[in-house]
């Protein structure tokens, strides 16, 4: 950790977007046994940008949901670079409600530039799909552990990111808008993205200080992409720790704690 | 996030000072309307039905029976959790100017009051306050209004007018989407009505949170409503979007609003809907 202390927010943005960084498929292969992918929102289609299904992490049977980025350009064309469509958010909600019925916790993996900005996404209610998830996740009656692994891109991240515990990898980011977007609006110059990144406080360390993040998961020296095995082990260990702690709470305590957690963000 | 381009009809040329005082030029169809007529028609163009934005207090006057409004959360004011500055300087300095200009402390006014004799809790966003952006103060006021509605078992009505989350408060703004939705979810569980009215514009993080989880979704005619910005979408999909894209009418066609209601009929419409609440 101390090694990475000198990194600027913009450095961290680059690491978070590194093409060799572990992706959802790596976490599924590396820390989940018996992953059973479940498809479709039962409304319109099956989004490849957000995927999910039953999985076992350590001793924990969970519902795993996450943004799927591709390893190659071709894969990214299929998964829209991990940008979820309304069908993805609706599938995620369906799976979370299934988890509630089966009384298993939900674990979400966040790595997205944002929700997909497209004609069809708007026509089919991108805003409504995300909004409904925020409401329903707030009182889902099973534990929700959120892990930001790469880019936490605004509403597209939050749409599967409401939970009891928010974990961030050391070199991941979470922001209301991309640094480039913020710079082009507030600095009138997209090239000022490094300054915007710093000002918006988007790194795991800054967000921990703001009280948004519960724990930072350490990465190997140089970043997660330099050693997948070590990264995955750290992620698995931390998820299991929180699943075990949350599993001890009664449902009413769990849900009321989650409500209080969100009510306290930006309190007066 | 559109508050930075809230150019008024400044550019429109007017012949004389007298003309300017007498006439309102409709920003949409450019028709010259007597200012007194414009005001009497509650800032709706009689020629093309363009609904000009209202301030929060204009809207409250319109919706709430005279003398019955009691404001909530009066102490909540803009805060600066990130200690944020941009190219133009400190966020709080910018906010101070807007506060002075608008007489508001945040982008929403909340309170309780009577709507045709029924006590409701009302929140009205004001686009002139930093583009109606959703910030920690806004979220806190909405959450408090929802809690108030829950406690007193009164319907909650929120008029949205917002470009989205306020960048200057970073992640804290983003989290207000979750906070407001969590507070409103309690009303759903408790069987208390929540009516969302989307006025021009309702976009970004506001459309993707409390504005879209209503029992009833109402939109003002021609209001801009959508998640992603038009330009962002055009850059992504490299194709031209339909003219009516992200209008109230487009959302109605696609099943995301229950009704498009004219300003003149809004109060009675909400009153009728709430009248079906059996409690
Ligand atoms: Zn007109």
């Amino acid at each position: 950790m101390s090694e990475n202390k000198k990194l600027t927010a913009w450095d961290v943005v680059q690491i978070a977007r590194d093409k060799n960084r572990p992706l959802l498929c790596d976490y599924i292969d590396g820390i989940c046994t018996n992953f059973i992918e479940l498809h479709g929102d039962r409304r319109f289609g099956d989004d490849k940008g957000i995927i999910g299904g039953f999985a076992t992490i350590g001793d924990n049977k969970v519902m795993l949901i996450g943004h799927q980025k591709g390893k190659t350009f071709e894969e990214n064309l299929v998964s829209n670079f991990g940008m979820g469509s309304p069908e993805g958010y609706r599938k995620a909600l369906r799976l979370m409600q299934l988890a509630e019925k089966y009384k298993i916790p939900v674990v979400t993996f966040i790595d997205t530039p944002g929700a997909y900005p497209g004609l069809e996404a708007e026509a089919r209610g991108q805003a409504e799909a995300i909004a409904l998830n925020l409401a329903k996740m707030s009182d889902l009656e099973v534990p929700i552990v959120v892990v930001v692994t790469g880019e936490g891109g605004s509403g597209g991240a939050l749409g599967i990111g409401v939970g009891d515990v928010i974990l961030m990898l050391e070199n991941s980011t979470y922001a209301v808008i991309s640094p480039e977007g913020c710079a082009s609006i507030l600095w009138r110059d997209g090239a000022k993205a490094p300054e915007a990144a710093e000002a918006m406080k988007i790194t795991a360390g800054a967000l921990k200080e703001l009280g948004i993040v519960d724990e930072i998961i350490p990465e190997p020296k140089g970043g997660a992409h330099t050693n997948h095995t070590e990264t995955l082990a750290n992620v698995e260990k931390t998820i299991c720790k929180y699943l075990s702690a949350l599993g001890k709470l009664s449902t009413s305590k769990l849900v009321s704690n989650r409500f209080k957690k969100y009510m306290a963000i930006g309190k007066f | 996030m559109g508050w930075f381009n809230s150019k008024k009809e400044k550019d429109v040329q007017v012949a004389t000072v007298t003309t300017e005082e007498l006439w309102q030029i409709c920003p949409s169809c450019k028709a010259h309307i007597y200012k007194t007529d414009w005001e009497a028609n509650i800032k709706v163009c009689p020629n093309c039905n363009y609904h000009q934005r209202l301030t929060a207090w204009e809207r409250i006057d319109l919706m709430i029976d005279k003398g019955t409004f009691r404001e909530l959360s009066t102490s909540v004011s803009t805060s600066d959790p990130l200690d944020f500055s941009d190219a133009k300087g400190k966020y709080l300095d910018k906010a101070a100017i807007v506060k002075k200009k608008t007489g508001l402390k945040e982008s929403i006014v909340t309170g309780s009051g009577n709507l045709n004799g029924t006590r409701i809790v009302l929140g009205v966003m004001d686009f002139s306050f930093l583009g109606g952006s959703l910030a920690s103060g806004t979220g806190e006021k909405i959450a408090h209004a929802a809690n108030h509605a829950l406690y007193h078992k009164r319907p909650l009505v929120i008029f949205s007018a917002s470009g989205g989350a306020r960048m200057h408060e970073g992640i804290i703004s983003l989290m207000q989407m979750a906070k407001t939705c969590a507070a409103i979810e309690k009303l759903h569980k408790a069987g208390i009505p929540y009516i969302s009215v989307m006025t021009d514009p309702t976009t970004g993080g506001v459309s993707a949170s409390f504005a879209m989880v209503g029992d009833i979704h109402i939109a003002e005619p021609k209001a801009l409503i959508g998640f992603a910005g038009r330009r962002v979408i055009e850059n992504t999909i490299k194709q031209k979007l339909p003219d009516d894209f992200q209008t109230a009418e487009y959302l109605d066609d696609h099943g995301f609003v229950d009704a498009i209601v004219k300003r003149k009929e809004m109060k009675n419409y909400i009153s009728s809907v709430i009248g079906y609440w059996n409690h």
Side-chain angles (χ1 to χ4, degrees):
Chain A
M1 279 260 316
S2 55
E3 197 66 28
N4 288 347
K5 268 272 154 60
K6 296 173 206 87
L7 296 177
T8 64
W10 188 241
D11 293 332
V12 175
V13 169
Q14 306 316 312
I15 299 174
R17 293 174 181 171
D18 192 285
K19 63 177 170 39
N20 293 318
R21 198 171 171 81
L23 301 177
L24 182 61
C25 57
D26 298 309
Y27 291 105
I28 289 172
D29 287 347
I31 69 174
C32 299
T33 52
N34 196 24
F35 177 61
I36 304 171
E37 187 177 350
L38 302 169
H39 293 276
D41 67 348
R42 307 274 173 85
R43 296 287 181 273
F44 180 83
D46 183 43
D47 187 23
K48 309 295 182 195
I50 295 177
I51 67 161
F54 293 119
T56 305
I57 302 176
D59 297 331
N60 306 284
K61 291 191 167 88
V62 306
M63 181 64 78
L64 180 88
I65 297 165
H67 300 103
Q68 171 153 271
K69 283 183 178 173
K71 295 257 182 208
T72 63
F73 184 71
E74 287 67 33
E75 281 179 16
N76 269 320
L77 287 181
V78 175
S79 70
N80 268 330
F81 297 84
M83 295 185 281
S85 291
E87 296 73 51
Y89 293 100
R90 292 184 181 124
K91 172 170 65 180
L93 180 58
R94 178 175 81 83
L95 299 188
M96 286 186 265
Q97 289 173 334
L98 180 58
E100 191 175 47
K101 178 178 177 182
Y102 282 17
K103 296 189 168 60
I104 57 171
V106 173
V107 177
T108 71
F109 280 72
I110 300 218
D111 187 13
T112 180
Y116 184 67
L119 171 66
E120 294 184 328
E122 296 288 321
R124 295 200 291 273
Q126 187 73 284
E128 190 270 348
I130 292 172
L132 192 63
N133 285 14
L134 304 184
K136 295 300 177 192
M137 292 180 89
S138 77
D139 60 0
L140 199 78
E141 297 191 336
V142 289
I144 306 174
V145 173
V146 177
V147 192
V148 183
T149 60
E151 289 180 278
S154 195
L158 190 63
I160 57 166
V162 176
D164 303 297
V165 171
I166 315 295
L167 309 172
M168 275 182 83
L169 265 74
E170 188 181 341
N171 295 305
S172 64
T173 59
Y174 200 169
V176 65
I177 183 172
S178 72
E180 291 90 341
C182 180
S184 70
I185 296 168
L186 293 184
W187 276 259
R188 307 259 168 157
D189 179 4
K192 293 282 195 288
E195 284 172 70
E198 205 70 51
M200 282 200 295
K201 298 203 169 40
I202 64 175
T203 62
L207 294 168
K208 178 91 169 39
E209 275 176 36
L210 284 169
I212 297 298
V213 170
D214 296 281
E215 186 169 328
I216 299 172
I217 303 176
E219 293 182 23
K221 196 175 139 185
H225 56 284
T226 62
N227 188 337
H228 282 205
T229 312
E230 190 183 327
T231 306
L232 266 55
N234 291 346
V235 169
E236 179 178 358
K237 196 174 68 187
T238 315
I239 290 172
C240 289
K241 181 176 86 178
Y242 282 101
L243 285 176
S244 157
L246 292 168
K248 293 189 177 79
L249 298 176
S250 69
T251 302
S252 64
K253 187 77 185 157
L254 179 80
V255 173
S256 82
N257 283 356
R258 193 186 305 146
F259 184 75
K260 283 182 202 148
K261 174 190 174 83
Y262 282 92
M263 287 306 115
I265 301 178
K267 65 166 180 265
F268 284 78
Chain B
M1 261 152 253
W3 53 265
F4 50 90
N5 57 19
S6 65
K7 254 193 261 156
K8 284 273 170 61
E9 49 277 24
K10 233 185 288 173
D11 309 336
V12 180
Q13 294 291 322
V14 279
T16 65
V17 176
T18 324
T19 324
E20 194 179 40
E21 281 168 355
L22 266 178
W23 300 95
Q24 167 75 39
I25 298 163
C26 171
S28 178
C29 73
K30 311 293 174 205
H32 286 54
I33 315 290
Y34 271 118
K35 248 192 180 149
T36 46
D37 289 350
W38 185 267
E39 296 294 331
N41 208 32
I42 33 182
K43 302 191 173 178
V44 175
C45 177
N47 187 48
C48 75
N49 198 32
Y50 169 79
H51 281 55
Q52 193 178 38
R53 288 169 190 154
L54 297 182
T55 66
W57 286 107
E58 284 172 335
R59 181 81 65 179
I60 290 164
D61 282 348
L62 210 54
M63 299 307 299
I64 295 296
D65 305 345
K66 206 171 177 347
T68 66
F69 190 73
R70 227 185 58 233
E71 195 178 350
L72 288 167
S73 309
T74 50
S75 63
V76 174
S77 182
T78 310
S79 75
D80 182 17
L82 306 188
D83 192 17
F84 190 91
S85 297
D86 59 29
K88 290 202 195 118
K90 280 186 147 321
Y91 160 48
L92 277 188
D93 292 344
K94 181 181 193 149
I97 294 166
V98 173
K99 282 183 196 171
K100 200 164 171 208
K101 203 177 81 188
T102 59
L104 303 173
K105 288 178 172 175
E106 248 308 343
S107 57
I108 191 166
V109 178
T110 55
S112 61
N114 293 352
L115 187 146
N116 289 347
T118 302
R119 198 81 183 156
I120 66 160
V121 180
L122 178 69
V124 181
M125 302 189 83
D126 195 317
F127 191 78
S128 60
F129 194 100
L130 296 173
S133 49
L134 171 63
S136 57
T138 324
E140 174 70 8
K141 289 176 93 167
I142 290 170
H144 184 226
N147 292 344
H148 189 83
L150 180 70
Y151 183 80
H152 294 283
K153 297 189 167 50
R154 286 173 189 152
L156 175 67
V157 179
I158 296 180
F159 282 77
S160 295
S162 173
R166 191 176 303 161
M167 287 169 286
H168 312 67
E169 293 187 27
I171 197 86
I172 307 292
S173 285
L174 185 72
M175 291 298 158
Q176 301 310 308
M177 294 167 63
K179 178 171 171 171
T180 54
C181 284
I184 285 162
E185 177 68 6
K186 290 247 177 189
L187 299 182
H188 292 326
K189 282 274 163 77
I192 295 180
Y194 166 51
I195 316 284
S196 170
V197 187
M198 298 173 233
T199 72
D200 186 60
T202 298
T203 60
V206 167
S207 72
S209 62
F210 58 88
M212 276 290 175
V213 291
D215 303 328
I216 308 291
H217 291 172
I218 303 170
E220 275 205 329
K222 298 180 183 175
L224 172 71
I225 305 165
F227 179 65
R230 193 183 179 97
R231 228 170 357 140
V232 175
I233 297 171
E234 280 177 338
N235 286 341
T236 306
I237 64 171
K238 315 279 183 216
Q239 68 190 64
K240 205 159 154 27
L241 297 166
D243 287 340
D244 71 339
F245 186 60
Q246 295 182 327
T247 59
E249 293 72 17
Y250 181 90
L251 266 86
D252 190 31
D253 279 348
H254 287 81
F256 291 100
V257 298
D258 291 279
I260 297 172
V261 177
K262 288 180 188 161
R263 190 167 287 166
K264 216 187 294 179
E265 293 153 12
M266 189 66 81
K267 185 173 180 177
N268 288 336
Y269 184 90
I270 294 173
S271 172
S272 300
V273 166
I274 290 172
Y276 281 88
W277 180 39
N278 201 352
H279 64 290

